[in-house]
């Protein structure tokens, strides 16, 4: 389609992680295993939390939502990556690219907000135990989760609209395996302001949530310092697993988004951490470090065998 002297781009080419066929097969195997682990592990957590009445606390309600988000986040990128690695077909339609950008930021920013809510849940449980039941009532939990999704939608729609308003008429090669904010660099216009706005939008959300999370864990440590009971040790163990998730997810996001979109060679490998590694680690961290979840898994196994 032609607009003036410009030819509208109808598709983009995702170069992926490597051009070497042997490495592509290796990446295909690793991505397939990781995607299978994400699906099985997070679906198992959702099943356990939904079927075991003993896991009805707000923490496990939020964990169930985190597992659902992880499934969505990985499913936005992994299937297309697997098809591209196996078939060599690297093209993605313009509409598909914009849809991928929208849903990836929608789900990703929702996860950032949800991890912040989970940190608030741990802070309330440890620092204000007498008020925990009232503060984290079921209705309040639903409202907090809804706010996470609403915040993610607002963030994502801003990113997508900033991208859609740009004209794309020249290069269409993306140095990565999914469509992200770096696509604005391909526009046939001065994108300095747009890049700054997008970096501010994504980067400041990532950094802001990360600062709130670190502050909440610092307050928890200050609160329980010098009087660690058995219950406090258990709560701190849960916080430790949250810190691992936060580190795996937020640090790469801050590195990628707290600067104008670019094409550093390391960017596409850093993206693997928060799109693949973090969703894989979440089920392992939460199940292996939670005695209640392991007991629930054992009860579910015995029921299935009966």
């Amino acid at each position: 389609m032609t607009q003036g002297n410009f030819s509208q781009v109808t598709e983009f080419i995702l170069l992926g992680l490597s051009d070497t066929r042997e490495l592509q097969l290796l990446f295909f195997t690793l991505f397939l295993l990781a995607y299978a682990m994400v699906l099985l592990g997070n679906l198992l957590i959702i099943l356990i939390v939904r079927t075991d009445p003993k896991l009805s606390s707000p923490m496990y309600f939020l964990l169930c939502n985190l597992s659902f988000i992880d499934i969505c986040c990985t499913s936005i990128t992994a299937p297309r990556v697997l098809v591209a690695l196996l078939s060599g077909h690297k093209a993605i339609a313009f509409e598909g690219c914009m849809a991928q950008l929208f849903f990836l930021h929608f789900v990703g920013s929702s996860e950032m907000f949800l991890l912040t809510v989970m940190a608030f849940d741990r802070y309330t449980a440890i620092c204000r135990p007498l008020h925990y039941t009232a503060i984290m009532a079921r209705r309040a939990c639903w409202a907090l989760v809804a706010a996470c999704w609403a915040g993610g939608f607002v963030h994502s729609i801003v990113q997508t609209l900033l991208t859609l308003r740009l004209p794309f008429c020249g290069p269409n090669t993306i140095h990565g395996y999914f469509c992200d904010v770096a696509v604005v660099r391909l526009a046939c216009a001065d994108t300095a302001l747009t890049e700054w706005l997008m970096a501010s939008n994504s980067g400041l959300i990532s950094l802001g949530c990360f600062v709130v999370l670190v502050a909440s864990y610092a307050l928890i440590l200050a609160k329980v310092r010098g009087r660690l009971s058995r219950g406090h040790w258990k709560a701190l163990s849960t916080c430790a697993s949250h810190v691992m998730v936060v580190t795996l997810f937020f640090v790469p996001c801050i590195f990628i988004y707290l600067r104008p979109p670019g094409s550093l060679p390391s960017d596409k490998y850093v993206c693997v951490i928060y799109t693949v590694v973090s969703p894989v680690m979440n089920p392992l961290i939460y199940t292996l470090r939670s005695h209640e979840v392991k007991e629930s898994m054992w009860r579910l196994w015995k029921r299935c065998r009966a």
Side-chain angles (χ1 to χ4, degrees), residues 235-286:
L236 285 177
S237 177
T238 303
C239 287
S241 65
H242 290 183
V243 171
M244 294 175 67
V245 173
V246 165
T247 303
L248 283 172
F249 186 72
F250 278 94
V251 173
C253 288
I254 292 173
F255 174 79
I256 293 293
Y257 296 115
L258 198 59
R259 57 185 172 84
S263 57
L264 294 178
S266 60
D267 283 2
K268 56 186 177 182
Y269 300 107
V270 173
C271 292
V272 175
I273 299 176
Y274 68 85
T275 60
V276 178
V277 177
S278 179
V280 168
M281 293 300 296
N282 282 353
L284 297 177
I285 290 172
Y286 285 111

Side-chain angles (χ1 to χ4, degrees), residues 19-89:
D19 292 328
T20 306
R21 187 56 182 168
E22 291 75 13
L23 285 178
Q24 288 179 349
L25 293 176
L26 175 61
F27 285 131
F28 173 82
T29 303
L30 294 177
F31 268 79
L32 182 62
L33 290 174
Y35 188 44
M37 291 176 64
V38 169
L39 292 179
L40 294 176
N42 286 290
L43 285 174
L44 180 61
I45 288 179
I46 293 174
L47 176 63
I48 291 172
V49 173
R50 297 291 295 175
T51 58
D52 194 336
K54 294 184 178 181
L55 301 181
S56 58
S57 67
M59 183 183 74
Y60 292 111
F61 171 76
L62 297 174
L63 175 59
C64 186
N65 282 274
L66 178 64
S67 294
F68 175 72
I69 287 179
D70 279 338
I71 291 174
C72 294
C73 186
T74 310
S75 297
I76 292 170
T77 58
R80 175 169 286 277
V81 173
L82 292 172
V83 171
L85 289 171
L86 195 62
S87 65
H89 182 68

Side-chain angles (χ1 to χ4, degrees), residues 8-297:
Q8 181 71 30
V9 169
T10 59
E11 66 179 18
F12 293 100
I13 305 299
L14 301 172
L15 295 182
L17 296 172
S18 174
D19 292 328
T20 306
R21 187 56 182 168
E22 291 75 13
L23 285 178
Q24 288 179 349
L25 293 176
L26 175 61
F27 285 131
F28 173 82
T29 303
L30 294 177
F31 268 79
L32 182 62
L33 290 174
Y35 188 44
M37 291 176 64
V38 169
L39 292 179
L40 294 176
N42 286 290
L43 285 174
L44 180 61
I45 288 179
I46 293 174
L47 176 63
I48 291 172
V49 173
R50 297 291 295 175
T51 58
D52 194 336
K54 294 184 178 181
L55 301 181
S56 58
S57 67
M59 183 183 74
Y60 292 111
F61 171 76
L62 297 174
L63 175 59
C64 186
N65 282 274
L66 178 64
S67 294
F68 175 72
I69 287 179
D70 279 338
I71 291 174
C72 294
C73 186
T74 310
S75 297
I76 292 170
T77 58
R80 175 169 286 277
V81 173
L82 292 172
V83 171
L85 289 171
L86 195 62
S87 65
H89 182 68
K90 300 181 179 182
I92 180 174
F94 179 87
E95 294 79 6
C97 185
M98 295 300 105
Q100 192 176 62
L101 185 150
F102 170 80
F103 285 109
L104 184 65
H105 280 266
F106 179 27
V107 175
S109 55
S110 297
E111 181 165 357
M112 291 182 184
F113 296 134
L114 183 61
L115 288 170
T116 307
V117 170
M118 293 177 73
F120 172 74
D121 171 74
R122 290 299 85 205
Y123 168 80
T124 307
I126 297 173
C127 300
R128 304 189 63 184
L130 298 179
H131 302 90
Y132 179 71
T133 304
I135 295 175
M136 297 301 294
R138 180 51 62 99
R139 180 175 295 181
C141 290
W142 277 108
L144 288 171
V145 171
C148 292
W149 284 104
F153 177 80
V154 172
H155 159 75
S156 184
I157 201 68
V158 170
Q159 296 290 80
T160 307
L161 290 177
L162 286 173
T163 306
L164 286 174
R165 61 182 289 274
L166 297 172
F168 292 92
C169 55
N172 65 338
T173 301
I174 299 175
H175 294 273
Y177 60 94
F178 62 90
C179 290
D180 203 354
V181 294
V183 73
V184 301
R185 282 288 180 94
L186 304 178
C188 304
D190 181 5
T191 61
L193 178 60
T194 302
E195 291 178 23
W196 184 85
L197 290 173
M198 297 182 80
S200 301
N201 189 14
S202 295
L204 291 180
I205 287 177
S206 303
L207 183 61
C209 290
F210 184 69
V211 170
V212 171
L213 285 162
V214 172
S216 67
Y217 294 129
L219 290 173
I220 290 173
L221 289 175
K223 181 73 174 180
V224 304
R225 184 180 57 185
R227 54 185 183 86
L228 291 177
S229 64
R230 181 179 178 181
H232 283 137
W233 275 115
K234 179 181 176 181
L236 285 177
S237 177
T238 303
C239 287
S241 65
H242 290 183
V243 171
M244 294 175 67
V245 173
V246 165
T247 303
L248 283 172
F249 186 72
F250 278 94
V251 173
C253 288
I254 292 173
F255 174 79
I256 293 293
Y257 296 115
L258 198 59
R259 57 185 172 84
S263 57
L264 294 178
S266 60
D267 283 2
K268 56 186 177 182
Y269 300 107
V270 173
C271 292
V272 175
I273 299 176
Y274 68 85
T275 60
V276 178
V277 177
S278 179
V280 168
M281 293 300 296
N282 282 353
L284 297 177
I285 290 172
Y286 285 111
T287 55
L288 295 180
R289 296 186 61 87
S290 174
H291 181 66
E292 292 87 351
V293 172
K294 287 188 287 188
E295 283 188 342
S296 182
M297 290 175 62

